[in-house]
């Protein structure tokens, strides 16, 4: 019988640029009475990684381009905010009042290129960008924590995404280290012995969604979750495994 345990790590302080996130996470696990074990996965909200990496930007420092001003009028958004969306994106896919859907330069299709203002203390004009390379961020944390604890763990960085055809947001993977982003089950058989021809499991996204339930989406203050019992073998991976190439994208 498979059992997956998800435990929010309490007591993390407000994260600021330059903070040693790996040490803070290891300390939070110890304080919760949880010794990290091989096969464990630390699931982290994107915000704490971005904060530690200094990805906070003041809108006062941004000068909007003509294109940003034009899109801002169509979307009813601050032109400075739109300018940051343009800088973080490869392409703007949809613009409607209150909505900008962009293809982030990392390949994610996201509202506002993942730029967010929630849970940012201090100046009201502050916004937070995604990490420059979430896979690399996850690998650094995974390597340091493994050396600190002696345990080969995985690290998953997640963010909240909306989805086409459905209301609401759910946790999805944006960076992985030492866990499979995608599990290819093609060639396996079902209970009736039929060969699976198309089944690929978005394992990192499934774990992201589950951990997001434990983290919460508002004022809970628990941006790190320890997952124990992940049902797939850990391995080197990249979030790029989950991104469908544009040539295979039937919905754009």
């Amino acid at each position: 019988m498979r059992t997956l345990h998800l435990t929010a790590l309490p007591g993390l302080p407000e994260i600021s640029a330059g903070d040693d996130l790996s040490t803070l996470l290891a300390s939070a696990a110890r304080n919760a009475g949880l010794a990290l074990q091989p096969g464990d996965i630390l699931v982290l909200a994107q915000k704490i990684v971005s904060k530690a990496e200094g990805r906070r930007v003041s809108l006062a420092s941004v000068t909007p381009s003509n294109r940003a001003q034009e899109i801002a009028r169509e979307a009813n958004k601050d032109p400075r905010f739109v300018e940051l969306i343009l800088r973080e994106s490869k392409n703007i896919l949809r613009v409607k009042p209150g909505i900008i859907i962009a293809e982030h330069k990392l390949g994610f299709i996201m509202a506002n290129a993942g730029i967010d203002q929630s849970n940012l203390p201090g100046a009201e004009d502050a916004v937070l960008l995604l990490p420059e390379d979430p896979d690399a961020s996850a690998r650094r944390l995974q390597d340091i924590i493994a050396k600190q604890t002696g345990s080969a763990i995985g690290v998953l960085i997640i963010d909240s995404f909306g989805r086409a055809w459905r209301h609401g947001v759910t946790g999805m993977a944006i960076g992985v280290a030492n866990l499979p982003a995608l599990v290819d089950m093609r060639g396996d058989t079902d209970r009736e012995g039929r060969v699976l021809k198309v089944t690929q499991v978005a394992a990192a996204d499934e774990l992201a969604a589950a951990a997001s339930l434990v983290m919460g989406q508002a004022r809970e203050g628990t941006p790190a979750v320890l997952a124990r019992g992940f049902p797939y073998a850990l391995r080197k991976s990249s979030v790029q495994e989950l991104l469908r190439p544009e040539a295979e994208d039937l919905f754009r």
Side-chain angles (χ1 to χ4, degrees), residues 6-27:
L6 299 169
T7 306
L9 300 183
L12 278 174
E14 178 63 37
I15 304 299
S16 300
D19 281 352
D20 184 348
L21 194 54
S22 59
T23 297
L24 292 172
L25 290 166
S27 176

Side-chain angles (χ1 to χ4, degrees), residues 31-239:
N31 292 341
L34 297 167
L36 294 178
Q37 301 175 6
D40 285 350
I41 297 171
L42 280 174
V43 186
L44 310 177
Q46 161 266 324
K47 278 191 174 63
I48 61 172
V49 179
S50 289
K51 288 176 180 178
E53 294 182 355
R55 297 289 284 162
R56 177 174 173 144
V57 177
S58 168
L59 292 180
S61 68
V62 178
T63 301
S65 62
N66 290 336
R67 187 182 179 209
Q69 293 177 18
E70 182 179 313
I71 294 173
R73 286 191 292 270
E74 186 176 354
N76 294 331
K77 289 183 178 290
D78 188 321
R80 301 169 300 174
F81 186 75
V82 176
E83 176 63 29
L84 289 176
I85 294 173
L86 292 175
R87 293 179 189 178
E88 290 293 295
S89 301
K90 293 194 290 187
N91 192 19
I92 302 298
L93 302 181
R94 296 287 188 276
V95 179
K96 289 188 175 182
I99 300 173
I100 298 176
I101 304 299
E103 181 182 8
H104 192 279
K105 57 189 177 184
L106 293 167
F108 310 131
I109 307 298
M110 309 180 75
N112 300 328
I115 302 172
D116 195 7
Q117 292 180 290
S118 63
N119 290 318
L120 274 179
E124 291 187 4
D125 73 342
V127 299
L128 200 64
L129 313 182
L130 296 188
E132 290 189 10
D133 185 344
D135 274 346
S137 300
R139 287 193 300 268
R140 283 193 296 271
L141 288 167
Q142 188 271 332
D143 183 59
I144 294 170
I145 293 171
K147 289 177 181 177
Q148 289 175 340
T149 65
S151 295
I153 67 164
V155 172
L156 174 61
I157 300 172
I158 72 173
D159 199 4
S160 298
F161 280 64
R163 295 134 320 137
W165 306 296
R166 290 180 181 265
H167 291 297
V169 296
T170 185
M172 293 179 70
I174 67 166
V176 300
N178 200 36
L179 74 145
L182 191 70
V183 175
D184 191 347
M185 300 187 70
R186 293 174 295 183
D188 289 353
T189 55
D190 67 10
R191 289 184 300 170
E192 303 301 320
R194 298 185 183 90
V195 176
L196 301 177
K197 297 181 179 180
V198 298
T199 303
Q200 295 176 293
V201 179
D205 280 344
E206 290 191 321
L207 181 57
S212 184
L213 286 173
V214 179
M215 287 182 185
Q217 293 284 346
R219 63 179 66 185
E220 294 83 0
T222 49
V225 169
L226 176 63
R228 181 165 290 167
F230 186 64
Y232 302 106
L234 301 189
R235 64 168 173 84
K236 291 183 179 179
S237 180
S238 167
V239 77

